[in-house]
Amino acid sequence: MIILETKDLMKIYGKGDTAVHALDGVSMKVENGEFVSIVGTSGSGKSTLLHMLGGLDRPTSGRVIVDGQELFKLKDEELTIFRRRKIGFVFQNYNLVPTLNVYENIVLPIGLDGNTPDKAYVDAIIHTLGLERKLQNMPNNLSGGQQQRVAIARALASKPAIILADEPTGNLDTKTSQDVLSLFKVTSRQFKQTIVMITHDEEIAQLADRIVRIEDGQIVDGGIHA
Amino acid sequence: MLKVNSKRTIHLLAKSSFKASRMRNLFAIVAIILTSLMFSGLFTVATSLVASIEESTMRQVGGSAHGSFKYLSKAQYDALKTHPDIKDISFSVVLGVGENKELAKHPTEIRYTSGENNAKGMFSMPTTGKLPQNDEEIATDTLVLKQLGVSAKLGQKVTLDYSLAGEKISKTFTLVGYWTGDKVMQASQAWVSKSYVEKQLANYKPSKQGYDVGLINADVNFKNSFRIESKLQKVIVDSGFSLDDIDYGVNWAYTGNGESLDISTIVATVGAILMIAFSGYLMIANVFTISVANDVRYYGLIKTIGTTPKQIRKLIRRQAMWLCFIGLPIGLLVGYLVGMMLVPIVLSIMNTDVIKISAHPLIFILSSIFSAVTVFVSVSKPSKIAAKVSPIEALRVTDNSAGSKRKIKKGTKVNLWTMAYSNLARNKKKVVLVSISLSLGLVILNATYSIANSFDMDEYLSRSIMNDFAVGDVSNFNVNLNYSNQDTLSEGFFSELSLQEGIESINNIYFTEYEVPTGPRFVDIPKQLAKEYGADSKRVEALKRYAQEPKQLLHLYGLDEGALQKLILLHGKIEEQKLYSGKYVIAAPFDAQGNILYYAIGDKIQLPDPTGQMREYEVLAVADIPESISARHSHPLTPTFYLPSQVFLEQIEQKAPMLSTIDVQDSAMEKMERFLADYSTNTDQNMEFESKASLAAEFENLQKTLKIVGITISILVAFIGIMNFINSVITSINARRRELAMLQSIGMLNKQVIKMLTLESTMYILLTIAATLTIGSAICYLGLNAFTAGAAYMKLYFTVVPSLLCLPILLVIAIIVPVMCQKVISKSSIVERLRKIE
């Protein structure tokens, strides 16, 4: 079953001579439960692509369909709600709310949606990621690896259709990167999550089921599931 | 699908971000306090003003009831009193008017009252003793007792003379109750018992013609004071009478008689509300806009997680609400106190004697509503900005939220000035907001000083008093009292006055008024007025009507020599010999400039002498009398003449002076003040005096209070401005730590960084001063101009000096803040700072 699909995605910054084609007709598909990594050099358009996939930014043209819903047909408010229900994010700089403790951060998207967290499910995630003892801590008291694990827990907690990870290991040293990523992979298997991760690190990318390469805003390899 | 119950989570987010923004909270609370303070101050002054004027009117009218039915028979009263619209009704019956010669100048009505409610409503309830019960008892006020020479003690004998059906009656009562008399009231009451009145009136046939002896005067209160007249009419009609049967009257304290509710008052009030709302908006919106600008990353972040724009707005509104809960009550209370301080000042400007500070719940309700609305309107823009933050924008680092739209930068010159300028240009909106909020404080400061100095003491004093002291009847000094020749300066007073030391001169002013035939020039006055001043047709029309009346009320003064010299001569010459010969008179003009005349030089006028014989006088000169020694009242057409006192007393009327002006040596000033104060409180309560020294002191006091209030407000507003400024300088430096480190890594000296940063903050100050001196001054000037034009005793005085005096302080802050910041920052090495992500 296809959980994520893009069709002829275009994003152009600027006009006329100075126009930059950040995305130049990207079409790709992701199966449910798949772990896909998107690689490319900086400026290749991979971050822009991820922002489009997550509905954070609107494309110039083209479509993004997540779990059967075409994202950009939604109004801002609806899009935000769709996003917090269907898409989990993991960012390079973690993006934890500095004024909330670890547990509050993890259940925040669920609360924003007006739901009470599935206690057993959240506990299982916390256990798998080894965060039991850190629940009352504030984010700035945690190491980078720990913060990223909290971010992963937050992304998983709302049982999204898909998790988008933007250079999740970009701020971590090699050892921690490996740890975090394998945890990422384990939890996604355990909780049957689809993951799309962008990275410029080939080694990290190899951990994925499939690698999509992007150059100058166009997919050069791996766009359609084999 | 959109409706979700996320209250608890929003509450959690709001609480945590509330706790994290201590500084913002402090500024916001101060701003909210200031806003609600100004609102409640304004409403306190406004309602107290209305209440004071209302009370003052009620006391003149002699009652607080909404309205009255007059000249009722017992049957009529009984029919009316049960009407369901009436909240309470009470009555009194007049027996007569005190005719003792001691009461000649002090109208005293002899009545019986239905009870305590009625007496209270007429401000005539005994505070000592009780209302009379049997035929021998009486209760009255201290003024009547004083006039009759009876000491205010229960059990004293009081003899009253009155007439009934042409028969003179004199009766001695025993005093069973009294209260402190009020000079403002036009008549005093002497309560006697119901049984006494009924016995006296047993054979008397009341008649409605002209007099109300023996008839019932009913005072009515309704549930509220709206549309009293139609309510009175409804009661009459519903009770089966026609409007011709029953006389009724509305207490004009409730009719908004021009003073309390005219258009200009409403415009001024609405204007003040808008001004306050606007400055409150500026302060609060600034605080929130800057805080949102600082927290852009935070809002972007929670947005990527799934907080909707609506939720973000809710988040900010909720915090604003909490801030309101803290700031509002404080502001309301302090505002009320400030209002209490201001009420006497405003009332004294408006020449009202009665001071009543209102504690009407509406003051607090209205100021709460207005303040809360101001807060939420102020917050709506910043919260929209926060809601619109693009999640991606938030992932990048900030301080160019306005977006650098310039694609190409022209010019190649790079120095610290251009760098500082382009740094500021990154967020123009913030610069504008900070400068406006800083200059708001300065503008208010300028306005305060300008207003306080616009009060013209010389003008005030010359209008109110020309000599060291002026003594006369109470009614002479109070425009709210009707003057009707009740001159009280007695021979006893003058003989005691002559015993005082250090008197340089005493000049008396005598005054009388009576009707004379309309003069030949009067018909032309309306035409001349229209030609000369282009006066509005309404006034001209009214004057035309008055000029056609066959008779006019004439004012005639007798002036001692010192007062004669104070006349403002407009035409002709005052030749003393001619004037004292008793054949000549000085005439007053219609207008202050002397362009329009009632009588011109050479005109003849006939005035009656004490025997009623007419005497002819010729107009020698045209002159005007200064307001402060005049009778202080006039009619649409008031032909006025001045004679030397000598001639006035010999040829016109032998009477006591209306006003006596006294000049004393400086050394005797205080003694004289004490003598007059003592005399007017202990010997003759109908006498009042004014002294130049105490008027001047009062005036200075007024200026001082105004300055204190104004300066306090401007300091608080400036405080917010300065805090906004410091806040924005610190955050902008903080956000650029990495960038600054980068500049240093490519060769910029620490000294140069500091210089660039101080240039940035100095530019804020220069912008502020520029805004204050241009737009701020223009608004301030226009406002002051409108304000002073309408107020007596004010002469436009406009200054920007106070704001310029603040300039050095602001510049010092502008230099210290960035220097301190960079000092703290440069404690860590450039490499450390470069590597740091945030």
Side-chain angles (χ1 to χ4, degrees):
Chain A
M1 181 195 151
I2 291 177
I3 193 88
L4 171 72
E5 187 178 4
T6 72
K7 282 182 186 160
D8 286 328
L9 215 49
M10 303 267 274
K11 178 73 178 179
I12 303 167
Y13 292 107
K15 270 180 196 157
D17 293 347
T18 55
V20 176
H21 291 249
L23 290 181
D24 202 356
V26 170
S27 298
M28 62 179 283
K29 284 178 182 169
V30 176
E31 285 281 336
N32 197 6
E34 224 185 339
F35 183 178
V36 177
S37 58
I38 300 172
V39 290
T41 53
S42 62
S44 60
K46 59 184 192 305
S47 281
T48 310
L49 176 59
L50 191 89
H51 292 155
M52 301 295 158
L53 298 183
L56 292 175
D57 200 359
R58 287 181 184 267
T60 311
S61 68
R63 289 190 290 170
V64 174
I65 299 149
V66 175
D67 205 8
Q69 172 68 50
E70 195 177 331
L71 287 192
F72 300 110
K73 279 198 171 155
L74 297 172
K75 289 188 188 112
D76 265 355
E77 185 96 7
E78 297 165 337
L79 183 56
T80 308
I81 290 167
F82 182 82
R83 190 165 64 222
R84 76 181 172 213
R85 287 181 183 162
K86 298 288 182 183
I87 303 168
F89 282 99
V90 177
F91 295 101
Q92 177 175 6
N93 50 3
Y94 330 127
N95 275 345
L96 301 178
V97 180
T99 55
L100 300 180
N101 69 24
V102 166
Y103 183 76
E104 287 167 344
N105 261 291
I106 292 173
V107 298
L108 183 61
I110 304 168
L112 285 173
D113 209 26
N115 296 323
T116 34
D118 177 344
K119 188 93 174 45
Y121 184 74
V122 172
D123 281 350
I125 293 168
I126 290 168
H127 177 75
T128 313
L129 290 166
L131 290 168
E132 294 100 325
R133 295 206 190 148
K134 301 288 179 192
L135 292 180
Q136 303 302 318
N137 285 31
M138 298 307 277
N140 57 0
N141 292 330
L142 301 178
S143 70
Q146 286 167 334
Q147 289 193 51
Q148 197 57 297
R149 277 186 277 156
V150 175
I152 292 169
R154 180 177 66 190
L156 287 165
S158 53
K159 301 181 192 166
I162 183 167
I163 292 179
L164 300 176
D166 185 358
E167 301 270 13
T169 58
N171 283 340
L172 306 175
D173 58 53
T174 319
K175 170 82 177 44
T176 322
S177 294
Q178 291 291 347
D179 289 352
V180 165
L181 218 66
S182 46
L183 267 175
F184 204 0
K185 204 170 171 185
V186 169
T187 44
S188 71
R189 285 270 175 278
Q190 188 178 334
F191 301 106
K192 298 191 178 53
Q193 284 293 342
T194 313
I195 297 177
V196 175
M197 173 179 78
I198 61 170
T199 179
H200 61 273
D201 186 334
E202 283 289 341
E203 208 175 316
I204 299 276
Q206 294 305 327
L207 289 167
D209 303 333
R210 175 157 65 105
I211 299 177
V212 175
R213 286 180 200 282
I214 186 164
E215 266 171 38
D216 295 332
Q218 288 174 325
I219 290 178
V220 291
D221 188 18
I224 309 297
H225 188 52
Chain B
M1 170 198 170
L2 282 174
K3 266 211 166 156
V4 288
N5 184 13
S6 55
K7 255 191 195 147
R8 278 184 50 202
T9 306
I10 294 296
H11 183 80
L12 178 75
L13 270 178
K15 209 167 94 185
S16 72
S17 116
F18 189 77
K19 275 189 191 154
S21 332
R22 290 245 166 86
M23 274 307 241
R24 181 211 59 193
N25 293 350
L26 178 71
F27 300 159
I29 287 171
V30 173
I32 292 170
I33 289 178
L34 277 175
T35 308
S36 53
L37 181 156
M38 290 192 280
F39 273 125
S40 76
L42 172 76
F43 289 128
T44 307
V45 170
T47 38
S48 298
L49 231 57
V50 173
S52 300
I53 290 168
E54 208 171 83
E55 163 124 355
S56 157
T57 314
M58 280 184 205
R59 280 165 60 184
Q60 288 170 57
V61 173
S64 64
H66 288 156
S68 57
F69 297 115
K70 292 165 184 168
Y71 322 130
L72 302 178
S73 67
K74 183 85 176 78
Q76 285 175 321
Y77 177 76
D78 288 339
L80 292 172
K81 74 176 181 192
T82 53
H83 195 280
D85 285 359
I86 295 175
K87 196 180 129 212
D88 61 66
I89 183 164
S90 61
F91 70 93
S92 63
V93 175
V94 177
L95 176 62
V97 175
E99 288 173 357
N100 308 40
K101 68 176 192 316
E102 297 92 338
L103 295 178
K105 286 182 210 157
H106 193 91
T108 305
E109 297 170 358
I110 306 166
R111 301 186 190 220
Y112 89 80
T113 172
S114 64
E116 198 174 309
N117 259 349
N118 183 255
K120 270 191 186 149
M122 293 172 76
F123 306 118
S124 301
M125 181 62 199
T127 48
T128 306
K130 54 171 184 136
L131 286 169
Q133 245 114 61
N134 67 44
D135 292 4
E136 309 305 316
E137 291 177 345
I138 193 168
T140 188
D141 69 24
T142 51
L143 290 176
V144 175
L145 295 175
K146 182 144 263 164
Q147 292 292 336
L148 294 172
V150 177
S151 59
K153 247 190 255 158
L154 298 183
Q156 293 283 60
K157 296 290 172 209
V158 179
T159 305
L160 279 182
D161 304 337
Y162 65 96
S163 312
L164 188 64
E167 188 191 342
K168 287 213 178 286
I169 300 170
S170 183
K171 158 95 180 163
T172 302
F173 300 92
T174 307
L175 188 67
V176 295
Y178 63 86
W179 62 95
T180 309
D182 182 353
K183 287 183 207 165
V184 176
M185 279 170 58
Q186 287 177 339
S188 286
Q189 297 303 325
W191 300 124
V192 294
S193 66
K194 182 181 177 190
S195 61
Y196 177 73
V197 172
E198 279 176 351
K199 268 177 214 161
Q200 292 299 109
L201 293 177
N203 297 318
Y204 178 81
K205 264 252 156 39
S207 76
K208 217 169 157 179
Q209 258 65 50
Y211 218 38
D212 53 352
V213 169
L215 291 170
I216 289 175
N217 213 323
D219 291 328
V220 191
N221 279 308
F222 297 103
K223 283 190 194 75
N224 57 53
S225 58
F226 297 116
R227 300 166 51 82
I228 293 169
E229 180 160 10
S230 62
K231 283 180 187 160
L232 289 169
Q233 290 172 345
K234 183 166 183 282
V235 171
I236 294 174
V237 174
D238 287 356
S239 308
F241 301 104
S242 89
L243 295 180
D244 296 331
D245 293 339
I246 291 176
D247 284 306
Y248 60 90
V250 179
N251 186 341
W252 40 276
Y254 298 107
T255 54
N257 52 322
E259 276 177 308
S260 50
L261 264 181
D262 61 16
I263 290 290
S264 67
T265 316
I266 294 171
V267 170
T269 313
V270 171
I273 290 175
L274 289 178
M275 272 291 293
I276 294 172
F278 180 65
S279 32
Y281 172 84
L282 273 184
M283 292 190 287
I284 300 166
N286 274 355
V287 171
F288 273 89
T289 309
I290 289 170
S291 119
V292 165
N294 290 341
D295 294 342
V296 164
R297 266 187 70 89
Y298 170 81
Y299 293 112
L301 192 163
I302 59 173
K303 226 176 160 185
T304 56
I305 298 166
T307 315
T308 62
K310 231 187 234 163
Q311 286 174 323
I312 288 181
R313 285 205 296 271
K314 220 187 265 172
L315 190 74
I316 294 177
R317 270 208 306 271
R318 185 172 290 243
Q319 295 184 51
M321 191 178 72
W322 289 335
L323 293 167
C324 260
F325 282 143
I326 303 169
L328 251 177
I330 303 175
L332 290 186
L333 200 73
V334 179
Y336 186 66
L337 296 177
V338 171
M340 279 167 68
M341 266 167 71
L342 286 176
V343 169
I345 298 179
V346 179
L347 283 171
S348 78
I349 296 174
M350 294 183 59
N351 238 328
T352 304
D353 268 357
V354 181
I355 293 175
K356 195 176 171 195
I357 291 172
S358 170
H360 202 285
L362 260 185
I363 296 174
F364 301 100
I365 296 171
L366 281 181
S367 23
S368 304
I369 292 174
F370 277 107
S371 315
V373 168
T374 307
V375 171
F376 286 102
V377 170
S378 312
V379 166
S380 84
K381 189 92 192 291
S383 63
K384 253 182 219 148
I385 297 173
K388 271 201 190 134
V389 167
S390 148
I392 304 198
E393 203 70 47
L395 298 180
R396 301 186 189 126
V397 189
T398 53
D399 217 29
N400 53 352
S401 53
S404 47
K405 281 180 186 147
R406 288 180 309 168
K407 283 183 208 132
I408 301 158
K409 201 178 155 191
K410 279 182 191 152
T412 46
K413 232 164 83 188
V414 175
N415 60 32
L416 293 179
W417 276 97
T418 56
M419 284 177 78
Y421 173 76
S422 52
N423 282 338
L424 283 191
R426 288 186 198 183
N427 193 342
K428 292 195 186 95
K429 209 177 201 171
K430 192 161 112 181
V431 176
V432 169
L433 277 177
V434 168
S435 306
I436 287 180
S437 86
L438 266 176
S439 73
L440 187 65
L442 296 181
V443 170
I444 293 179
L445 189 68
N446 283 345
T448 303
Y449 258 90
S450 301
I451 290 176
N453 287 319
S454 290
F455 281 94
D456 186 348
M457 166 116 76
D458 290 337
E459 172 72 14
Y460 175 69
L461 289 182
S462 74
R463 274 203 193 205
S464 328
I465 194 163
M466 299 193 85
N467 305 77
D468 292 338
F469 297 94
V471 192
D473 188 84
V474 181
S475 62
N476 212 299
F477 297 104
N478 188 335
V479 290
N480 292 327
L481 294 181
N482 285 352
Y483 173 82
S484 49
N485 288 313
Q486 65 267 47
D487 302 320
T488 44
L489 295 178
S490 61
E491 279 176 32
F493 167 72
F494 284 107
S495 63
E496 272 201 52
L497 178 66
S498 63
L499 299 177
Q500 302 303 310
E501 287 164 24
I503 293 177
E504 280 175 346
S505 66
I506 298 174
N507 283 292
N508 292 335
I509 289 113
Y510 300 85
F511 176 81
T512 189
E513 55 187 1
Y514 45 73
E515 283 189 327
V516 292
T518 303
R521 293 180 196 276
F522 284 43
V523 220
D524 294 333
I525 290 176
K527 288 180 219 154
Q528 280 176 290
L529 181 72
K531 214 175 356 168
E532 194 88 25
Y533 301 105
D536 59 295
S537 59
K538 253 190 194 165
R539 187 174 172 212
V540 173
E541 285 302 314
L543 279 178
K544 263 187 198 156
R545 262 201 333 274
Y546 286 114
Q548 276 155 13
E549 302 271 327
K551 288 189 164 190
Q552 303 292 341
L553 199 60
L554 165 134
H555 281 188
L556 184 62
Y557 289 87
L559 304 173
D560 279 4
E561 204 181 339
L564 262 180
Q565 286 163 1
K566 296 240 158 85
L567 288 180
I568 304 152
L569 185 66
L570 296 165
H571 300 295
K573 240 171 51 192
I574 301 179
E575 292 163 83
E576 292 203 4
Q577 256 191 332
K578 278 189 173 176
L579 205 55
Y580 280 92
S581 72
K583 294 200 174 78
Y584 293 91
V585 73
I586 302 170
F590 172 82
D591 60 338
Q593 289 73 32
N595 296 334
I596 305 173
L597 303 177
Y598 296 112
Y599 293 94
I601 295 174
D603 283 0
K604 303 263 176 19
I605 170 88
Q606 304 254 334
L607 298 172
D609 73 2
T611 61
Q613 294 254 306
M614 288 315 231
R615 267 170 178 271
E616 195 175 69
Y617 297 87
E618 187 184 324
V619 175
L620 177 69
V622 174
D624 206 4
I625 193 165
E627 169 85 10
S628 61
I629 56 170
S630 74
R632 304 190 191 194
H633 70 278
S634 65
H635 318 284
L637 289 172
T638 317
T640 304
F641 295 98
Y642 312 105
L643 286 168
S645 301
Q646 222 175 307
V647 180
F648 180 95
L649 293 172
E650 277 170 16
Q651 301 188 354
I652 304 289
E653 195 179 354
Q654 198 67 44
K655 67 178 294 193
M658 170 188 77
L659 194 73
S660 184
T661 62
I662 306 162
D663 285 304
V664 299
Q665 290 159 3
D666 288 350
S667 57
M669 207 71 93
E670 274 180 46
K671 249 186 166 173
M672 179 57 80
E673 176 115 27
R674 254 178 286 142
F675 161 71
L676 291 173
D678 179 68
Y679 194 91
S680 60
T681 39
N682 296 326
T683 312
D684 186 355
Q685 291 189 342
N686 283 329
M687 193 191 100
E688 191 160 294
F689 76 101
E690 276 176 351
S691 81
K692 198 175 240 174
S694 59
L695 281 177
E698 226 172 75
F699 196 81
E700 275 170 2
N701 230 343
L702 186 152
Q703 273 181 312
K704 220 191 278 165
T705 320
L706 259 181
K707 273 187 193 165
I708 291 172
V709 172
I711 290 174
T712 315
I713 290 177
S714 35
I715 285 177
L716 288 170
V717 174
F719 172 77
I720 293 183
I722 291 171
M723 288 298 147
N724 273 339
F725 168 60
I726 294 178
N727 194 355
S728 86
V729 169
I730 293 178
T731 50
S732 101
I733 294 176
N734 222 357
R736 284 183 289 155
R737 282 166 87 149
R738 206 162 154 235
E739 181 187 320
L740 295 174
M742 185 268 292
L743 285 172
Q744 279 181 275
S745 75
I746 59 167
M748 203 171 181
L749 297 174
N750 197 32
K751 236 168 43 188
Q752 285 173 312
V753 172
I754 289 179
K755 194 174 171 200
M756 182 184 78
L757 295 176
T758 38
L759 281 178
E760 282 176 29
S761 52
T762 310
M763 281 179 187
Y764 271 111
I765 303 299
L766 294 181
L767 268 175
T768 302
I769 283 290
T772 308
L773 293 184
T774 55
I775 307 167
S777 290
I779 294 172
C780 192
Y781 182 85
L782 290 176
L784 271 177
N785 208 356
F787 186 60
T788 52
Y793 323 139
M794 287 190 96
K795 204 163 68 186
L796 181 63
Y797 175 95
F798 180 69
T799 176
V800 291
V801 173
S803 63
L804 294 178
L805 288 179
C806 291
L807 187 57
I809 305 173
L810 293 176
L811 285 176
V812 167
I813 297 172
I815 292 166
I816 287 180
V817 175
V819 169
M820 297 294 284
C821 271
Q822 181 62 9
K823 250 201 182 135
V824 172
I825 289 174
S826 37
K827 271 186 190 151
S828 46
S829 77
I830 295 173
V831 181
E832 271 177 305
R833 277 182 277 154
L834 273 175
R835 285 181 60 183
K836 245 194 174 152
I837 298 293
E838 264 181 289

